[in-house]
Amino acid sequence: MRVGIIGGSGYVGGELLRLLLHHPQTEVALVTSEKHAGEYVHAVHPNLRGLTHLKFTQYHLSKVEKNCDLVFTALPHGASVKIVPELLKAGLKVIDMSADFRLKNPESYLKWYGWNHPVPELLMEAVYGLPELHREEIREAKLVACPGCMATATILPLMPLIKSSLIDLDRIIVDVKVGSSGAGAAPSAASHHPERSGGTRPYKPTDHRHIPEIEQELSLVAKKPVRVAFTPHAVNMVRGILATVHAFLAREITMKDVWMAYRLTYENEAFIRFLRYKKGLYQYPDPKIVVGSNFCDIGFEVDSRVNRLVVFSAIDNLMKGAAGQAVHCLNIMLGINEKTGLEHPGFHPV
Amino acid sequence: MRVGIIGGSGYVGGELLRLLLHHPQTEVALVTSEKHAGEYVHAVHPNLRGLTHLKFTQYHLSKVEKNCDLVFTALPHGASVKIVPELLKAGLKVIDMSADFRLKNPESYLKWYGWNHPVPELLMEAVYGLPELHREEIREAKLVACPGCMATATILPLMPLIKSSLIDLDRIIVDVKVGSSGAGAAPSAASHHPERSGGTRPYKPTDHRHIPEIEQELSLVAKKPVRVAFTPHAVNMVRGILATVHAFLAREITMKDVWMAYRLTYENEAFIRFLRYKKGLYQYPDPKIVVGSNFCDIGFEVDSRVNRLVVFSAIDNLMKGAAGQAVHCLNIMLGINEKTGLEHPGFHPV
Amino acid sequence: MRVGIIGGSGYVGGELLRLLLHHPQTEVALVTSEKHAGEYVHAVHPNLRGLTHLKFTQYHLSKVEKNCDLVFTALPHGASVKIVPELLKAGLKVIDMSADFRLKNPESYLKWYGWNHPVPELLMEAVYGLPELHREEIREAKLVACPGCMATATILPLMPLIKSSLIDLDRIIVDVKVGSSGAGAAPSAASHHPERSGGTRPYKPTDHRHIPEIEQELSLVAKKPVRVAFTPHAVNMVRGILATVHAFLAREITMKDVWMAYRLTYENEAFIRFLRYKKGLYQYPDPKIVVGSNFCDIGFEVDSRVNRLVVFSAIDNLMKGAAGQAVHCLNIMLGINEKTGLEHPGFHPV
Amino acid sequence: MRVGIIGGSGYVGGELLRLLLHHPQTEVALVTSEKHAGEYVHAVHPNLRGLTHLKFTQYHLSKVEKNCDLVFTALPHGASVKIVPELLKAGLKVIDMSADFRLKNPESYLKWYGWNHPVPELLMEAVYGLPELHREEIREAKLVACPGCMATATILPLMPLIKSSLIDLDRIIVDVKVGSSGAGAAPSAASHHPERSGGTRPYKPTDHRHIPEIEQELSLVAKKPVRVAFTPHAVNMVRGILATVHAFLAREITMKDVWMAYRLTYENEAFIRFLRYKKGLYQYPDPKIVVGSNFCDIGFEVDSRVNRLVVFSAIDNLMKGAAGQAVHCLNIMLGINEKTGLEHPGFHPV
């Protein structure tokens, strides 16, 4: 399949390239960047040096239409929505990495992003690209809206607990720790090395933009409104997200009940790993262990002393939280083995 | 005042030395280390090179008795309890950095630490060395039990909220992020650089040993039993603790109510700083900013959408969480300006 | 081919497993560890969780003999030499990761390692496993002695310069910066996170043990004795080595002369990448860019103002500096495409 | 003394504030920032929260003239030269942190900085503010040009060797490792956390701008032209510089000869520390140990095998490499104890 990457100079674009250049079923036909048009992609993504002679080009619809069957749009929020409609109209399938098509309720865009959605009719057509929840719809989708990285890390551990009615839906706390690559490739004061290195900095402790998609999807699972109290922290790592979910128990439960809930939902999932083996240093999820892989590691403890369940999920924000998840969706759309091009584990130590 | 440090080769011992060597009212009479006896302290604490010619000596009661008026015991848990009784009997005042005298209920030692307390009668005599809570008792104390670092970071933000009855006492979540120096100077797999660097690793997600002292002190404040759900995470920093407290509201409140609660309790405290100024990168506490100082930075947001209050407190685990707090106690015992020897801010950036 | 890993619980063992489990021509028949025998390998190498059900076993010659055609020995220096002779005698091919068979002169072991080599006759039989220098001998080898990681990073940039007589052989400076994984998986004071994080610490500034193999191989190239002044520094990274070679010019040269020297030697090498493109942030080698890959990145500048050539080479110490290089040797021995199982680039950013 | 800081929002400005607010002989009368005028200094320098109510003001000559006796100019290169003349004319003493007055030869500015120096007559009047070399001139100076951070780390270890004619002046290699704060507070691609963290990146491997001041000062010492081959590397630390000097021996020497050379020059210097004690982890200089202090730590080895001397010097780039050195100069100008306000050691670990 001939694929294109629209907006390929960011970190997600780089990961898409890394994955797609080795994917046996795809040929990268073009990769665009307005800023770097004419430059070798390896000048921007130096790990790809020697592996490709591709250069960035400017975006032209006609060129994309002619050379691609499917495109990944890896543009900033608010920019995707401007070109996705024309790509769809041209008959291309689109896997969009931005937030522009994740929310079903058009009003949510005004509320959480500050702008009116220009093509609200596309919101119902778009499929929220979390394979573990929407596999069948992804298979037939024309437009996939890839989940936010922190949303992925939050929904995956919570979905089975909600399905199995194990937790109190009114008091869900999600305390997230996130690496610096999550904020993108553009330099900023918040990601300036002297400021970011060695610190642990809360940001957007209420009203983070990933909340509406988390609540939308979990409410779908619960079949009633679910609210989450969500607070992220910028920590001193480059890649990775650890979501610590603190939930209060809806009833008396044991570790076994929780394992059963997880197994029930994820038994056949290729990219969910459970941490049950009580040996070694990594008995709970740590994003360090999934860096570069598409895995979501999940582990937990029942804290019956205080009637709490604490669950940890770890992902690589650029992989399971973005490019890896997008390729997973692609595999589903292609009807091939879902692991294709995503088999590789992370490095240890890294 | 002639002071001694018993067990001075660890990180807390090093900080005590750094502070006491510049303290205008103390003379460091001796510093012991069984392992490094005979060596210069600067071989172990290289930042002190050129500032002192002290050498480590072996511990001998008679020598301590003869040369010191007060001692800091910076020994591992379970080791302090073996020598503190004889130090007290010899008429010395003791500021103990271990957990051995923090808990009032002797049975708690069996439950949380796994051993029977050999001198339970000293537990009621010992004063829990948190100046913001026990200033008057510290003034007259013969034995001060310095709080645990994570306990300090947890009690300080919670105490005023409990005093002012702002939060639901049954659902307090404390999600802690802690630097590697908190685990001490002895190499271990968990603190091995290749394993610790760049990761975010939950550990002891339930039943951490700092819980009983936290609950003891908060119950004292609440005048009824308080329980906290407590989970620490090892993050990629050397010094510092960030405690994120997620609490549900007991009633409808505003930001102003919370500020008033904090001001009421901490208005005249020298080492509590509030973060209210909404400019700049550090609008919430970040341990990076207090590294090397004795400050506890506190900030928060009311998340009325989900009926939650989220509070952040940041301390340097070796300072406000250990050596700085101990010197603060010393200053109170000496009846001098509480800031003496502790005026210096942290470095930025660091 | 059925392969075994003797001593598979260290970092090099983990990388060998990661590579060999995905290698199309190998089946990992066994992996030994005296310390972890009976445990799942993923308890020690958590990135492999879900990818293998292998367990560590104890070393028994008969078992190895029966189940393997070739073994990788990833044991500490001085331990390999005790079992390699019996493995060879049993008809197995051996790729040894230790220093025990790298030096040709038996006396060098006494001088640099402090022990008499027990089987000096094997030293001449062993092939120094640097494919770029000894490809033909590796093809036929029964015993391959994989180069040291810092030796690899030093020999590769120097070899072409010496071949082409561009530099003064009496004044070669090699200033190395190395990540913490290079010191292995065993905790130590030097690799304790609080001590290693954020520092830059020289160690063994003279007489480092990689010097004799560097000088042995470069002298072979020069056909006369070469000496290098070699000083490593422990820096705050987990993986990677940057070798900065400062050499004085033997005659007046231009950038083009240097490029020609490198091209002449490495034109067809799969794992040497040159940095000539003067765009982007990474115009010189940085180990960060090769993490997890088998590449050696090389770049340089002629500093005619001071008659100097400065060359940089970057490798991943566990890959091109150990496990990757070993698999490269394996591919040569198998007569298959040298890139097999080693095609993947590093991650960026990481 | 009433002092002002012109350009106080950068990292050097922050350190000057930290030092001067606690300095017993100075009163900070004003601190300017065009960008942050009107804001509290603690919004930009969060470590100073609670310690000062100062706000940034805009620069007005009349205000500075009226309120200050001496000013520190902490402006970018090329900006200082525009205001220093008017400050001097107004009768103020100036300690300038930029490069604008460091070089004696006006032509060097065109060559190394790309602009013609507008007030070349001030260059001979300015004193290069390295106390260990120019103490007497600093005492009487009206304009002190503070040395560059990497120049300080390079000149200090080399000066005594040159004085004592121990090394070959034609083959001096300086291989520098520098933290990210050295590049200043403005975000950039090179200092973006995802790019800088965990890497070791050479930059400006030839022709770095600190070279002319290094050669100027060392030639002064040698009384003949000295050239240095100089290459810096950006490493994963925030503060600190390690300079590794590789020099070839002019004659056969012992460790003792080198110690004598150092003692001869630095015996009475307050901020030079020697590392001779062969115990503990830090037997050679590591910038980690001097973070926050004004010390320059020096250590070395004679590598007679290759006729080389390798010397290490470690400083905090913002302290001995900038603000600390400036306050040291101030103390000399004031005729007070040179250590005033600079007594504090660094933290360990940090």
Side-chain angles (χ1 to χ4, degrees), chain A residues 1-7 16 20 27 29-32 59-61 63-75 80 83-88 90-97 142-144 146 326 330 333:
Chain A
M1 174 175 262
R2 301 170 311 156
V3 303
I5 300 170
I6 314 299
L16 282 169
L20 295 171
E27 174 205 345
L30 59 80
V31 48
T32 80
Y59 172 76
H60 292 296
L61 177 59
K63 235 157 102 186
V64 179
E65 196 175 355
K66 195 171 127 193
N67 293 291
C68 303
D69 305 308
L70 179 150
V71 295
F72 295 86
T73 42
L75 297 164
S80 258
I83 71 153
V84 165
E86 68 188 36
L87 291 165
L88 291 171
L92 291 155
K93 294 195 174 189
V94 176
I95 298 179
D96 182 48
M97 313 304 295
K142 291 207 170 91
L143 170 57
V144 171
C146 268
L330 173 74
M333 294 161 87

Side-chain angles (χ1 to χ4, degrees), chain B residues 171-234:
Chain B
R171 313 270 179 131
I172 299 170
I173 302 280
V174 185
D175 188 295
V176 171
K177 296 85 181 165
V178 63
S180 58
S181 63
S188 70
S191 297
H192 192 43
H193 183 274
E195 307 295 343
R196 178 70 180 248
S197 182
T200 299
R201 192 170 59 228
Y203 71 95
K204 207 69 190 138
T206 63
D207 302 316
H208 188 279
R209 285 172 167 185
H210 282 189
I211 292 172
E213 54 182 289
I214 293 169
E215 296 187 344
Q216 167 184 291
E217 297 300 310
L218 292 180
S219 298
L220 203 71
V221 172
K223 293 176 185 132
K224 59 182 165 184
V226 174
R227 297 228 146 153
V228 298
F230 183 93
T231 298
H233 302 74

Side-chain angles (χ1 to χ4, degrees), chain D residues 184-251:
Chain D
S188 70
S191 296
H192 192 42
H193 183 274
E195 306 296 345
R196 178 71 180 249
S197 182
T200 299
R201 193 171 57 230
Y203 71 96
K204 207 69 191 139
T206 63
D207 301 316
H208 188 279
R209 285 173 168 183
H210 283 187
I211 293 171
E213 53 182 289
I214 293 167
E215 296 186 345
Q216 167 184 292
E217 297 300 311
L218 293 180
S219 298
L220 204 71
V221 171
K223 293 175 187 138
K224 59 182 164 181
V226 174
R227 298 228 146 154
V228 298
F230 183 93
T231 297
H233 303 73
V235 295
N236 186 22
M237 60 185 182
V238 172
R239 281 193 186 217
I241 293 174
L242 183 79
T244 306
V245 176
H246 305 271
F248 292 96
L249 302 175
R251 50 185 172 91

Side-chain angles (χ1 to χ4, degrees), chain C residues 75-90:
Chain C
L75 297 164
H77 304 317
S80 258
V81 80
K82 290 181 186 150
I83 71 154
V84 165
E86 70 189 33
L87 291 165
L88 291 172
K89 206 169 289 172

Side-chain angles (χ1 to χ4, degrees), chain B residues 10-290:
Chain B
Y11 290 152
V12 172
E15 280 298 83
L16 283 170
L17 275 164
R18 179 175 71 85
L19 295 172
L20 295 171
L21 287 171
H22 277 93
H23 193 287
Q25 305 276 329
T26 62
E27 175 205 344
V28 180
L30 58 80
V31 47
T32 80
S33 163
E34 302 311 297
K35 192 177 162 195
H36 295 280
E39 279 179 37
Y40 283 109
V41 302
H42 65 72
V44 173
H45 306 302
N47 57 324
L48 303 180
R49 193 180 285 138
L51 303 178
T52 176
H53 291 296
L54 270 175
K55 287 183 172 183
F56 291 110
T57 60
Q58 280 190 301
Y59 172 76
H60 293 295
L61 177 60
S62 59
K63 234 158 100 186
V64 179
E65 196 175 355
K66 194 170 129 195
N67 293 291
C68 303
D69 305 308
L70 179 150
V71 295
F72 295 86
T73 42
L75 298 164
H77 303 317
S80 259
V81 80
K82 290 181 186 149
I83 71 153
V84 165
E86 68 188 35
L87 291 165
L88 291 172
K89 207 168 289 172
L92 290 155
K93 293 195 174 190
V94 176
I95 299 179
D96 181 48
M97 313 305 294
S98 82
D100 292 3
F101 299 95
R102 291 180 196 154
L103 305 181
K104 296 302 171 195
N105 185 345
E107 285 167 28
S108 296
Y109 283 93
L110 189 57
K111 183 174 169 197
W112 294 89
Y113 288 87
W115 39 271
N116 278 301
H117 203 286
V119 281
E121 64 279 12
L122 281 181
L123 294 178
M124 289 318 293
E125 193 179 321
V127 174
Y128 191 74
L130 193 72
E132 290 80 2
L133 187 52
H134 296 291
R135 180 172 278 107
E136 294 315 311
E137 300 151 86
I138 293 166
R139 208 183 299 283
E140 309 299 329
K142 292 209 171 90
L143 170 57
V144 171
C146 268
C149 54
M150 292 195 269
T152 300
T154 300
I155 297 168
L156 287 175
L158 274 167
M159 187 165 69
L161 304 176
I162 290 174
K163 256 195 195 165
S164 300
S165 305
L166 295 180
I167 59 169
D168 176 353
L169 296 185
D170 293 335
R171 313 270 179 131
I172 299 170
I173 302 280
V174 185
D175 188 295
V176 171
K177 296 85 181 165
V178 63
S180 58
S181 63
S188 70
S191 297
H192 192 43
H193 183 274
E195 307 295 343
R196 178 70 180 248
S197 182
T200 299
R201 192 170 59 228
Y203 71 95
K204 207 69 190 138
T206 63
D207 302 316
H208 188 279
R209 285 172 167 185
H210 282 189
I211 292 172
E213 54 182 289
I214 293 169
E215 296 187 344
Q216 167 184 291
E217 297 300 310
L218 292 180
S219 298
L220 203 71
V221 172
K223 293 176 185 132
K224 59 182 165 184
V226 174
R227 297 228 146 153
V228 298
F230 183 93
T231 298
H233 302 74
V235 296
N236 186 21
M237 60 186 182
V238 172
R239 282 193 185 217
I241 293 174
L242 183 79
T244 306
V245 175
H246 305 271
F248 291 97
L249 302 176
R251 50 184 172 92
E252 226 170 276
I253 60 167
T254 64
M255 294 289 284
K256 210 181 144 189
D257 296 318
V258 187
W259 283 125
M260 280 178 60
Y262 279 115
R263 208 177 310 139
L264 195 69
T265 311
Y266 294 139
E267 188 151 36
N268 299 309
E269 290 297 342
F271 299 111
I272 309 281
R273 296 194 300 196
F274 298 109
L275 277 72
R276 299 191 63 174
Y277 190 60
K278 292 300 173 200
K279 296 242 172 175
L281 186 57
Y282 295 92
Q283 299 180 15
Y284 301 104
D286 184 335
K288 184 179 173 79
I289 300 307
V290 297

